[in-house]
């Protein structure tokens, strides 16, 4: 079963081949609102990378909870399946990544807002 976050992560690669990456299109849209400067281009690249990393981590976290739900199904319910489902160190690492990415995205969005303000006042 594909989770919604996993679909968001997988979709860009599929759509990129078709020439319609929604995240890339969003970054291009933001790019048009920013001044044509090197720092704005770098900001867009970092923001896109952060968003992709966050969506990837979110997909892993969502997959963990899907695995937990699967372990709770009547056909697979056992003490060992419960312990295995609850003992996923990877999800804790991915949550740390998400916290870091959310902080970076917030900072980058603030930087983009500042650049937009500079564009509208000049």
């Amino acid at each position: 079963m594909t989770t919604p976050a996993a679909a968001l992560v997988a979709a860009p690669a599929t759509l990129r081949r078709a020439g319609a990456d929604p995240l890339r299109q969003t970054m291009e849209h933001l790019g048009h609102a920013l001044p044509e400067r090197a720092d704005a281009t770098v900001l867009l690249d970092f923001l896109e990378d952060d968003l992709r990393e966050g969506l990837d981590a979110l997909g892993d976290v969502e997959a963990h909870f899907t695995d937990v739900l699967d372990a709770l199904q009547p056909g697979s319910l056992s003490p060992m399946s419960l312990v295995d489902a609850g003992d996923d160190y990877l999800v804790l690492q991915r949550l740390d990544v998400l916290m870091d990415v959310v902080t970076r995205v917030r900072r980058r969005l603030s930087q983009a807002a500042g650049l937009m303000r500079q564009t509208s006042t000049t």
Side-chain angles (χ1 to χ4, degrees):
M1 169 169 82
T2 302
T3 63
L8 282 173
V9 173
T14 304
L15 293 173
R16 196 175 311 122
R17 285 188 292 266
D21 179 348
L23 185 53
R24 171 63 62 171
Q25 290 175 340
T26 301
M27 292 297 99
E28 288 175 4
H29 179 70
L30 177 58
H32 292 298
L34 299 178
E36 292 185 26
R37 297 179 1 194
D39 59 339
T41 301
V42 170
L43 174 65
L44 287 172
D45 288 342
F46 282 143
L47 180 58
E48 182 177 354
D49 289 346
D50 289 340
L51 290 171
R52 288 190 192 283
E53 183 179 9
L55 287 170
D56 185 47
L58 186 59
D60 289 342
V61 171
E62 190 171 10
H64 166 73
F65 283 101
T66 299
D67 291 345
V68 169
L69 291 175
D70 290 344
L72 295 172
Q73 294 302 309
S76 41
L77 191 58
S78 73
M80 191 53 142
S81 68
L82 295 178
V83 170
D84 286 345
D87 189 27
D88 191 352
Y89 184 68
L90 173 66
V91 75
L92 296 175
Q93 291 174 323
R94 300 307 276 166
L95 285 169
D96 285 341
V97 168
L98 273 174
M99 290 179 60
D100 186 44
V101 167
V102 167
T103 301
R104 289 193 319 251
V105 166
R106 180 177 186 222
R107 186 179 70 243
R108 295 192 205 291
L109 290 176
S110 293
Q111 290 171 332
L115 289 172
M116 285 177 69
R117 236 176 291 141
Q118 288 176 4
T119 302
S120 64
T121 59
T122 56

